[in-house]
Every structure is written in structure tokens, then in C-alpha cells.
Amino acid sequence: MTRFVIAPQWQGSSSSRAMQLIDGAEAIAGDLPRAATIALDAPTEAGDAQGTAVLRASALARMRERISDAVASAAPGEHAVTVGGDCGVALGAVSAVAGDDLAIVWIDAHADLNTPESSPSGAFHGMVLRAILGDGVDPLRLDPGIPPSRVVLAATRSLDAEEQRFIDEHGIRVIPASALSDPDALAEAVVSTGAARVHVHVDLDALDPSEITGVSFAEPFGAAAADVAASIRRLRERVPLAGATITEFSPSSPAAAVDDLGTILRLVGALA
């Protein structure tokens, strides 16, 4: 069974289209079973940095708590798929299921491994994976964090200098978008971490721009949606799914959302 948590958070985004993330989350929610869905209200205000280098930190901290509580409310035998909003929703979703047996699969064009100090934008969606690993500022980090040895990046192809340094220093596994054409590649990488459970995060900009239009930070040479879906399904045959996030759907208008929903729901189906 699957519980869906709709979290239309936009405060973690650096995009000028950030508010359109609300439309994206609501469009996806419209095609999900109502009885299995919890819809959260994002704070209406932008929030402030609270003396940190993280933009809108106050609003993000409130949403982390709301998301974590909603994910934790899933019944025994259920797992939650959290629908963003920006990538920052993953912190709350992972907080609810974290443990020393959990691996993180991060399917994203960007590594999201900046720190508040290294981030060029100060936007939390570019540092959320680093926060899940335990770095950053309270209350916007996981403590204890997931060790880098249990992280797998997939379709990641746009990196800042600090992110590349961190990946190299810790030997984080990176699976190129092209390698996802073999559905065993992702599963084998996760199995090699020794983890007993996995949280799968999907930022829709992991997909090739030819496959999806409603993203703010498209990067060329991305993954095919069919390959991502097949890789997730094969992974789930090998390692139990503890939870998932799917994020960063930013359609140009509510009406335009329909153009991408078929592709997105294919990925939701693999996660659910």
C-alpha cells in the first residue's frame, strides 16, 4: 500500500518560477487516489533566514516537521511517496524513515550537495542531500545523517565545485543517465551499499529535456523516463522501499501541466 503526501513547498527553490511548484504538486495530486492522499498546506509567507545562510529557513523548518509527521503516519506495511514542491521536501520525508540500514538514491540532474556556505544561491533545494547526510544548520539537517557510503546518485550531470569535491572525497557512487538503460545498474549499486531499505528521490530534471517541459533547471543529456521507471522497479525487487519523493514539477501554467502528467505518473507508478 502507498500513502501520498502532497507538499507544495516552494520556499526552497531558487527559481523565478518557484510559485509554480504549487501548481505542479496540485496537478499531480489531482490524479492520485483521494483516500490515500494527505494534502499539506505550505506556509503562505516566504519565511526568513533566521540568521543562517539558508534562504527562507523558518518556512522550511516548519514544512520539514509537517512532512515528517505526515510520512510517519503511514500505516504498517505502507510507504509514503511525498510529492513536492521543491527538492527540500526530501529532508522531512527521509527524517521519518531514517536509520542505520537506509540507503538514499538521488535521481537528479544536480547533486544538491552544497553547504549553506558553498551554495551560490542560498536556496535549500541545492543543499538538501548534504543536509540529509548531516551537514548544514539546525533544524535543517538530519542528525545523525546518512553516511555517504549509502548514497547513490543517478543521472547527475551538473555539479558545483564543492559538490564534485565532496563526491570525490567520499567516493559516492554516480550512475550516468545513459547507464540507466540497464535496469540492473541502479539495483546493483544500492545492493553494494549493504543497506536493507532504500529511499528513492526523483527530481524531474533528471529526465532529458525532450521528455519533460515543466522543469525550471533543465539539463541536456538526461535520462529516459522509461529507463528511470524500469530501474526503480528492478531496485524494488532487490531492496524494500522505505519511502520516496518526486519533486520540482513547475509547469508554465496549470493548463500546461497536462502535457507532462503522463510521464510523471509513469514514475509515480514505479514508486507506488
Side-chain angles (χ1 to χ4, degrees), residues 156-179:
T156 306
R157 54 199 186 275
S158 178
L159 297 167
D160 293 326
E162 168 59 18
E163 295 175 312
Q164 186 66 67
R165 182 203 66 77
F166 189 84
I167 290 167
D168 294 342
E169 178 181 332
H170 294 278
I172 292 176
R173 299 165 178 83
V174 182
I175 300 176
S178 59

Side-chain angles (χ1 to χ4, degrees), residues 207-264:
L207 302 180
D208 191 80
S210 65
E211 302 243 337
I212 193 163
T213 60
V215 295
S216 296
F217 300 99
E219 297 286 348
F221 309 113
D227 291 347
V228 174
S231 294
I232 292 170
R233 292 186 188 280
R234 184 64 55 82
L235 171 61
R236 294 187 62 186
E237 294 172 359
R238 303 285 301 276
V239 183
L241 187 65
T245 41
I246 186 163
T247 65
E248 300 283 349
F249 183 34
S250 180
S252 58
S253 68
V258 68
D259 296 336
D260 290 320
L261 279 175
T263 297
I264 294 169

Side-chain angles (χ1 to χ4, degrees), residues 115-182:
T115 65
E117 293 73 29
S118 71
S119 171
S121 68
F124 187 62
H125 70 168
M127 56 184 92
V128 59
L129 180 55
R130 190 70 172 265
I132 289 169
L133 302 189
D135 295 330
V137 297
D138 290 324
L140 293 175
R141 69 183 186 95
L142 192 62
D143 184 20
I146 304 297
S149 61
R150 293 208 305 271
V151 172
V152 177
L153 297 174
T156 306
R157 54 199 186 275
S158 178
L159 297 167
D160 293 326
E162 168 59 18
E163 295 175 312
Q164 186 66 67
R165 182 203 66 77
F166 189 84
I167 290 167
D168 294 342
E169 178 181 332
H170 294 278
I172 292 176
R173 299 165 178 83
V174 182
I175 300 176
S178 59
L180 293 174
S181 60
D182 176 4

Side-chain angles (χ1 to χ4, degrees), residues 94-103 142 144-147 150 195 197:
V94 173
S95 296
V97 299
D100 59 10
D101 62 343
L102 184 72
L142 192 62
I146 304 297
R150 293 208 305 271
R197 303 176 299 138

Side-chain angles (χ1 to χ4, degrees), residues 24-107:
E26 291 178 348
I28 297 170
D31 279 312
L32 300 177
R34 188 179 300 272
T37 299
I38 299 172
L40 304 179
D41 292 324
T44 55
E45 72 278 10
D48 58 53
Q50 296 286 290
T52 73
V54 181
L55 297 177
R56 310 181 185 113
S58 61
L60 296 167
R62 288 198 295 278
M63 277 302 286
R64 176 196 179 175
E65 183 176 355
R66 292 176 190 176
I67 294 166
S68 181
D69 288 347
V71 171
S73 72
E78 285 186 331
H79 71 270
V81 176
T82 300
V83 178
D86 65 69
C87 282
V89 303
L91 176 60
V94 173
S95 296
V97 299
D100 59 10
D101 62 343
L102 184 72
I104 303 294
V105 167
W106 203 259
I107 305 173

